[in-house]
Amino acid sequence: MQLNGNFLTAAAFAVILFFARAATACQPSDRAALLSFKAALNEPYLGIFDTWKGEECCTNWYGVSCHPETKRVADVVLRGESEDKIFERAGRTGYMTGSISPAVCGLDRLTTLVIADWKAISGEIPECITTLPRLRILDLIGNKISGKIPADIGKLSRLTVLNLADNQISGTIPPSIVNLNSLMHLELNNNQLTGEIPSDIGKLTMMSRFLLRRNQISGQIPSSLASIYRLADIDLSMNLLSGPIPSQFGSMPVLSTLNLDSNRLSGEIPTGLFSNSGINILNLSRNSFEGHLPDAFGPKTYFTAIDLSHNNLRGAIPRTLSAARYIGHMDLSHNHLCGPIPTESPFDQLGSSSFASNDCLCGTPLKAC
């Protein structure tokens, strides 16, 4: 009886161990996809892929996590700049070469793919990435990825974050991008994108951040952008954009940051950009804007920074600027402004560089009138 009891105890333990392992081990197909993904990359300093061994990739593989019920791989999050202890021990940021293997598309339950700030990952974004129906976050910032944004990117109907900034991506913004109905954050800064912003970009009604800084985008700024109620941050600086600023921008309800500097924009600056109490950073420098600064400032005006330098603005500085609740930094240099500089705040806190190279401005901090 004792022998039978020991046998039953051992059998029960084996069953428990089997189910415990089954609960933590990922699907063989997911494990195979991860290993193929790893094989296309080389990370020589931190050893993060040293943990990618054994069967239990859902618990012990660095940067990999699984859905608690299905045990399918849900997230792959590999950041080259992190406060993780593995970086502290190495005393350095991450560096990785290689490319993103199409094998990653075998992770058909993937919701998050972050391969960010590894500095030297190259190659193209796999076209098959658009076949991952559950993908919500695609963040590939800070690498050397080239090629084009996949033409069918619009198929990722659940995508909320698309961050491809600081790479070498070329080509145009795919027209299908306007089909990303859930997109909140679009960041394509510092690439080599050309062509125009899709005219119907306003279809992205959930978007709060639209960042295209430092590309070669041409054409005009679509007025449909102004119809996106949640849009708070727009950065289209350092491109080849031309034409006017859509007048509707002045009435956007939650817009707080508008950076349009270093383009080829022209026409008059919409008055609403100065009277909109929500805008606190406005950079329109290094364009060809004309006309006068409007008397549109008041007690609700609150700018942490306003830069209108290097344009063709004329006339006097509006005295209503003195009625602003707060103006931190202001630059009106390199225009054709004329007349006395108001003496009240914020002008009494600004240096001569804020007013330099105008036609005939005078008064403190410049020469006396």
Side-chain angles (χ1 to χ4, degrees):
M1 290 293 294
Q2 182 65 36
L3 183 61
N4 288 340
N6 289 340
F7 174 77
L8 290 174
T9 300
F13 178 76
V15 170
I16 292 170
L17 183 61
F18 172 80
F19 283 107
R21 286 178 175 173
T24 56
C26 63
Q27 291 277 343
S29 60
D30 285 354
R31 182 176 179 275
L34 287 170
L35 291 175
S36 295
F37 167 77
K38 168 190 170 183
L41 296 168
N42 178 40
E43 190 284 294
Y45 300 114
L46 302 175
I48 63 168
F49 288 133
D50 292 347
T51 63
W52 286 33
K53 56 188 177 183
E55 302 294 326
E56 298 180 3
C57 70
C58 287
T59 55
N60 297 322
W61 290 25
Y62 184 90
V64 178
S65 58
C66 299
H67 190 279
E69 296 176 359
T70 65
K71 307 307 173 187
R72 300 294 306 276
V73 172
D75 306 314
V76 175
V77 179
L78 301 174
R79 297 188 183 278
E81 296 181 3
S82 170
E83 296 180 358
D84 193 280
K85 291 182 179 179
I86 195 170
F87 292 86
E88 292 181 5
R89 288 194 297 267
R92 60 167 297 141
T93 58
Y95 180 84
M96 194 183 299
T97 58
S99 61
I100 301 173
S101 169
V104 75
C105 304
L107 303 171
D108 57 8
R109 299 297 181 91
L110 199 64
T111 61
T112 302
L113 179 60
V114 177
I115 310 169
D117 296 314
W118 293 100
K119 305 175 184 63
I121 294 176
S122 57
E124 300 186 4
I125 302 171
E127 289 283 345
C128 62
I129 209 84
T130 64
T131 65
L132 296 173
R134 291 173 171 79
L135 197 63
R136 296 180 182 274
I137 297 174
L138 179 59
D139 185 349
L140 307 179
I141 188 176
N143 291 291
K144 290 185 178 179
I145 296 169
S146 58
K148 299 180 179 181
I149 301 172
D152 290 335
I153 194 75
K155 290 182 177 180
L156 297 174
S157 60
R158 299 187 184 184
L159 201 67
T160 60
V161 174
L162 178 59
N163 189 351
L164 307 178
D166 301 333
N167 281 286
Q168 299 172 6
I169 296 170
S170 58
T172 60
I173 300 173
S176 74
I177 205 166
V178 303
N179 297 325
L180 297 174
N181 298 325
S182 301
L183 194 67
M184 299 179 183
H185 180 120
L186 177 59
E187 185 167 356
L188 305 176
N189 291 340
N190 199 24
N191 279 288
Q192 299 166 18
L193 294 168
T194 56
E196 301 185 3
I197 300 170
S199 61
D200 52 350
I201 195 74
K203 289 182 178 179
L204 299 177
T205 57
M206 300 296 290
M207 188 164 59
S208 63
R209 307 191 75 200
F210 183 56
L211 311 176
L212 296 181
R213 178 183 179 89
R214 201 187 288 271
N215 280 282
Q216 299 169 38
I217 302 295
S218 58
Q220 298 195 9
I221 300 172
S223 59
S224 67
L225 267 177
S227 67
I228 304 176
Y229 181 87
R230 295 173 172 82
L231 194 51
D233 299 326
I234 299 176
D235 191 345
L236 307 178
S237 59
M238 299 186 183
N239 279 286
L240 304 173
L241 294 165
S242 58
I245 300 175
S247 60
Q248 300 94 323
F249 274 32
S251 56
M252 294 177 69
V254 297
L255 185 64
S256 63
T257 300
L258 180 61
N259 288 322
L260 302 178
D261 59 282
S262 304
N263 278 286
R264 300 172 180 176
L265 298 169
S266 59
E268 295 192 1
I269 300 172
T271 300
L273 292 181
F274 301 111
S275 59
N276 187 329
S277 60
I279 299 176
N280 57 67
I281 296 177
L282 179 64
N283 190 348
L284 307 180
S285 64
R286 299 182 184 277
N287 282 287
S288 298
F289 292 118
E290 301 173 333
H292 293 68
L293 287 175
D295 263 323
F297 304 91
K300 293 184 178 181
T301 302
Y302 190 104
F303 284 110
T304 56
I306 177 170
D307 191 345
L308 307 177
S309 64
H310 294 271
N311 280 289
N312 296 315
L313 300 173
R314 299 182 179 276
I317 297 174
R319 289 196 171 275
T320 53
L321 264 170
S322 299
R325 182 157 62 99
Y326 177 78
I327 293 181
H329 169 78
M330 183 170 66
D331 193 344
L332 302 177
S333 65
H334 297 273
N335 279 286
H336 300 287
L337 299 174
C338 202
I341 298 171
T343 57
E344 303 89 346
S345 177
F347 300 99
D348 56 352
Q349 302 173 20
L350 299 173
S352 59
S353 61
S354 295
F355 308 102
S357 299
N358 276 283
D359 287 359
C360 50
L361 284 177
C362 59
T364 307
L366 302 181
K367 64 181 181 180
C369 295

